[in-house]
Amino acid sequence: MTRFASFLAAMALSFVGTTAAAAGNCVAPENVNQLATEIAAGVNQSRRANGEAPLRFNRKLGQAAMVQACDMSVNDFFDHQGSDGSRPQSRVRSAGYNDCIVAENLAWGYPRSEQIVNGWLNSPGHRRIMLHPRVEEFGIGISQGAKGPYWVLVVGKQC
């Protein structure tokens, strides 16, 4: 396993174990660590291919992403606004992240991580978020809903 792949695996394990357990009724897919690692690798591969620096994992962004993924699956909706009225910026700040820039990509129902990355790359708005030249960090949340998985990517830059 490459050094980068080992880092991604450790990052996924550390992030999913704490956030998924704290979400109550939220259920993560059995292979959530693998899926999160694949999303992270796909995002960073896409950034490199487009001349942008890879993003670093940030635990607080991961927490904010998982909060939204769980909220959507538990409450059966799909939106950037949470069931409590929260928006991406308020969720990252609640997680303790001091943002200057924050953005969020969502996906729902796709069973495979490569479908998510390709879908985001083929959507102009999602692509801009993934490849934003000023963001430096990311977090991923994945939860299993009755109608398929919910995927959340939060990217940001701290002030």
Side-chain angles (χ1 to χ4, degrees), residues 124-137:
H126 293 99
R127 181 183 182 88
R128 266 191 307 277
I129 289 171
M130 273 181 52
L131 303 179
H132 193 292
R134 292 178 37 218
V135 297
E136 299 173 348
E137 301 174 304

Side-chain angles (χ1 to χ4, degrees), residues 133-157:
R134 292 178 37 218
V135 297
E136 299 173 348
E137 301 174 304
F138 76 95
I140 298 168
I142 307 167
S143 64
Q144 185 62 50
K147 301 173 190 168
Y150 288 84
W151 309 76
V152 180
L153 170 70
V154 178
V155 297
K157 178 180 179 175

Side-chain angles (χ1 to χ4, degrees), residues 11-154:
M11 170 276 303
L13 286 169
S14 69
F15 132 74
V16 172
T18 57
T19 56
N25 295 334
C26 184
V27 176
E30 287 185 19
N31 60 340
V32 68
N33 294 329
Q34 175 188 343
L35 295 172
T37 300
E38 290 169 0
I39 292 287
V43 167
N44 280 331
Q45 180 180 8
S46 299
R47 289 182 61 83
R48 281 189 207 92
N50 286 278
E52 298 299 338
L55 302 178
R56 296 180 310 273
F57 172 73
N58 181 284
R59 188 181 215 51
K60 293 173 182 176
L61 292 179
Q63 180 182 352
M66 196 64 187
V67 163
Q68 184 63 3
C70 287
D71 187 20
M72 291 188 299
S73 65
V74 168
N75 293 300
D76 194 28
F77 73 97
F78 184 74
D79 198 323
H80 292 284
Q81 182 171 320
S83 63
D84 61 357
S86 65
R87 303 293 293 171
Q89 187 173 48
S90 62
R91 288 189 291 273
V92 302
R93 288 181 178 176
S94 289
Y97 189 84
N98 182 25
D99 67 286
C100 279
I101 301 170
V102 68
E104 178 181 80
N105 279 354
L106 305 177
W108 169 70
Y110 296 95
R112 295 190 326 271
S113 58
E114 62 272 9
Q115 293 172 300
I116 305 306
V117 173
N118 288 334
W120 286 336
L121 283 172
N122 289 314
S123 164
H126 293 99
R127 181 183 182 88
R128 266 191 307 277
I129 289 171
M130 273 181 52
L131 303 179
H132 193 292
R134 292 178 37 218
V135 297
E136 299 173 348
E137 301 174 304
F138 76 95
I140 298 168
I142 307 167
S143 64
Q144 185 62 50
K147 301 173 190 168
Y150 288 84
W151 309 76
V152 180
L153 170 70
V154 178

